[in-house]
Amino acid sequence: MDAKTLCLGALQVGDASGYEIKKLFEEGVFSHIHEASFGSIYPALTRLVDEGLASCTAMPQDKRPDKKVYSITDKGREALVGALRLAPAPDKVRSDFLFILVFGHLLPASQLDRLIDQRIAWYRDSLRRMSECDLSHKPASARFVNGLGRAVYRAAAEYLELQKEGLLANIEGAMVVPSRAAE
Amino acid sequence: MDAKTLCLGALQVGDASGYEIKKLFEEGVFSHIHEASFGSIYPALTRLVDEGLASCTAMPQDKRPDKKVYSITDKGREALVGALRLAPAPDKVRSDFLFILVFGHLLPASQLDRLIDQRIAWYRDSLRRMSECDLSHKPASARFVNGLGRAVYRAAAEYLELQKEGLLANIEGAMVVPSRAAE
DNA sequence: GGTTGCATGTAAATGGTTACATGATTGT
DNA sequence: ACAATCATGTAACCATTTACATGCAACC
């Protein structure tokens, strides 16, 4: 999904500036779903206006650069729904955390311990923020996605909490216990 | 995590050719964890050899180009552990599926239904393959990561199975039921 | 006085995917 | 016949990240 479609989706949620769209991808509806940086958002918004898929109104502000508020047009909404109808590309995941974990046996147990604790804390924090946001006035689909995210993060946090000690014991066990058993 | 570290990790698992490394990221230990394409693997392997982090042996084959089998060197192992010790970058997820789902209320229920069914089938298929692979001779950390992946996919599949009908009813309900209730 | 948040945009550099180029074997 | 698997590698293209450029307000 290209930056243009991503911005179109953001504008469908509500009128916004480039800066505000970035926040939607960082902390808002689209966090944990997709990424978008200034370097991709601003050029995409310009192209969207060029193609008549969005319109732009400059809102003068005191002591700050004009805020450019973008709105999706009818043509833009059509383009969005068109893009949404295409078969989704497979999810792309890049997790340094999991890659590191695979080689846990090469690392000091203290690092693994910290790594996993930090991950659990991150999940718990994300879960809290996902529960706190009020979706009662959002469409059922937004609540559905929120629920899915929470179910997945809860499962991950619980697995890590339950299985962490077992891993740490096994990692050390692989080095220490066998030689003892041979005594 | 750059392509070089990714390849170093693959070679730590076992000697391999570029072609085999790609398979590790598609169906092997690293599937669902990270991506790697030929265009990033082959140049990375060349650089790894240049820097003395890997060595390469050409295995002549009949009727096929020589298979170049790469091995990690001691220096390479040091470089890998060094990279593994750095704080992991945050996970990067790009899910067209979730992005589309957020706008479920703009789409025909039949499309949502299909989309979710396909997703459930994908999770079930992945879960089957993740259970089938024999990890009894792999380090505990590999089993731990496998278990985490399965816990997460199971949670996602179960959520979708349980909640799908509710979503479809709500999407249609938003259009149909309220007018009935007002009768 | 330093950091964070607001607010926009561009340019350079990096990095990665896709497509191309080649070609035999095996299975449908 | 055609697709898939095996096998390597390059080049063009695309995208993203990072840094630069600017500047005020609010908070600590």
Side-chain angles (χ1 to χ4, degrees):
Chain A
M1 212 139 263
D2 56 24
K4 262 166 58 189
T5 309
L6 258 18
C7 288
L8 231 33
L11 297 179
Q12 169 65 31
V13 172
D15 293 355
S17 64
Y19 192 85
E20 287 163 347
I21 289 174
K22 178 132 192 271
K23 280 202 294 182
L24 279 187
F25 284 91
E26 270 171 0
E27 322 154 11
V29 225
F30 301 124
S31 66
H32 315 275
I33 291 183
H34 250 281
E35 318 256 323
S37 60
F38 286 135
S40 63
I41 292 170
Y42 284 121
L45 287 171
T46 306
R47 265 176 290 140
L48 247 24
V49 173
D50 287 349
E51 294 166 26
L53 305 176
S55 63
C56 177
T57 317
M59 310 283 272
Q61 297 189 125
D62 11 290
K63 321 265 181 175
R64 280 208 194 141
D66 280 11
K67 189 174 179 172
K68 290 191 183 174
V69 177
Y70 294 85
S71 309
I72 191 168
T73 61
D74 287 337
K75 200 176 156 193
R77 229 177 307 271
E78 277 172 44
L80 175 63
V81 173
L84 259 21
R85 279 171 166 291
L86 302 173
D91 285 11
K92 273 168 198 169
V93 177
R94 301 165 169 219
S95 177
D96 285 6
F97 167 75
L98 291 174
F99 188 78
I100 292 172
L101 257 200
V102 169
F103 299 102
H105 57 293
L106 301 179
L107 300 169
S110 59
Q111 192 198 326
L112 273 185
D113 193 22
R114 222 179 317 122
L115 194 67
I116 294 172
D117 280 347
Q118 282 165 3
R119 218 341 122 117
I120 293 168
W122 182 85
Y123 281 130
R124 290 294 169 201
D125 196 56
S126 299
L127 280 164
R128 192 182 38 71
R129 273 183 282 116
M130 287 163 105
S131 325
E132 276 170 4
C133 72
D134 178 33
L135 295 170
S136 55
H137 298 101
K138 291 267 160 80
S141 45
R143 289 195 295 278
F144 184 83
V145 173
N146 182 265
L148 175 56
R150 284 160 67 186
V152 163
Y153 282 5
R154 205 179 310 121
E158 278 168 14
Y159 179 89
L160 292 177
E161 281 161 359
L162 261 161
Q163 307 291 333
K164 187 185 89 165
E165 291 308 327
L167 172 70
L168 297 179
N170 259 293
I171 291 281
E172 304 220 73
M175 304 189 252
V176 179
V177 176
S179 60
R180 295 228 176 168
E183 275 169 20
Chain B
M1 210 139 266
D2 56 23
K4 260 166 57 189
T5 310
L6 258 18
C7 287
L8 230 33
L11 296 180
Q12 170 63 31
V13 173
D15 294 354
S17 65
Y19 192 85
E20 287 163 346
I21 290 174
K22 179 137 192 268
K23 280 201 295 181
L24 278 186
F25 284 91
E26 271 171 359
E27 322 154 10
V29 225
F30 302 124
S31 66
H32 316 275
I33 291 183
H34 249 281
E35 318 255 323
S37 60
F38 286 135
S40 63
I41 292 170
Y42 285 120
L45 287 171
T46 306
R47 266 177 289 142
L48 247 24
V49 173
D50 287 349
E51 295 166 26
L53 305 176
S55 63
C56 176
T57 316
M59 309 284 271
Q61 297 187 125
D62 10 290
K63 320 267 181 174
R64 283 216 189 132
D66 280 11
K67 189 174 179 172
K68 290 191 183 175
V69 177
Y70 293 85
S71 308
I72 192 167
T73 62
D74 288 335
K75 200 176 156 193
R77 229 177 307 271
E78 277 171 45
L80 175 63
V81 173
L84 259 20
R85 279 172 166 290
L86 302 173
D91 285 10
K92 274 166 199 173
V93 177
R94 302 167 167 218
S95 176
D96 285 5
F97 167 74
L98 290 174
F99 188 78
I100 292 172
L101 256 200
V102 169
F103 298 103
H105 56 293
L106 301 178
L107 300 170
S110 59
Q111 193 198 327
L112 274 185
D113 193 22
R114 223 178 316 124
L115 194 66
I116 295 172
D117 280 347
Q118 281 165 3
R119 218 341 121 119
I120 293 169
W122 183 86
Y123 280 130
R124 291 296 170 200
D125 197 55
S126 299
L127 281 164
R128 192 181 39 72
R129 272 183 281 118
M130 289 162 104
S131 326
E132 275 171 4
C133 73
D134 177 34
L135 296 169
S136 54
H137 298 102
K138 291 266 160 81
S141 45
R143 289 196 295 277
F144 184 84
V145 173
N146 182 266
L148 175 56
R150 284 160 67 186
V152 164
Y153 283 4
R154 203 180 311 121
E158 277 168 14
Y159 179 89
L160 291 177
E161 280 161 358
L162 260 162
Q163 306 291 332
K164 187 186 90 165
E165 290 308 328
L167 172 70
L168 296 179
N170 258 294
I171 292 281
E172 303 220 73
M175 304 188 251
V176 179
V177 175
S179 60
R180 294 228 175 167
E183 273 168 21

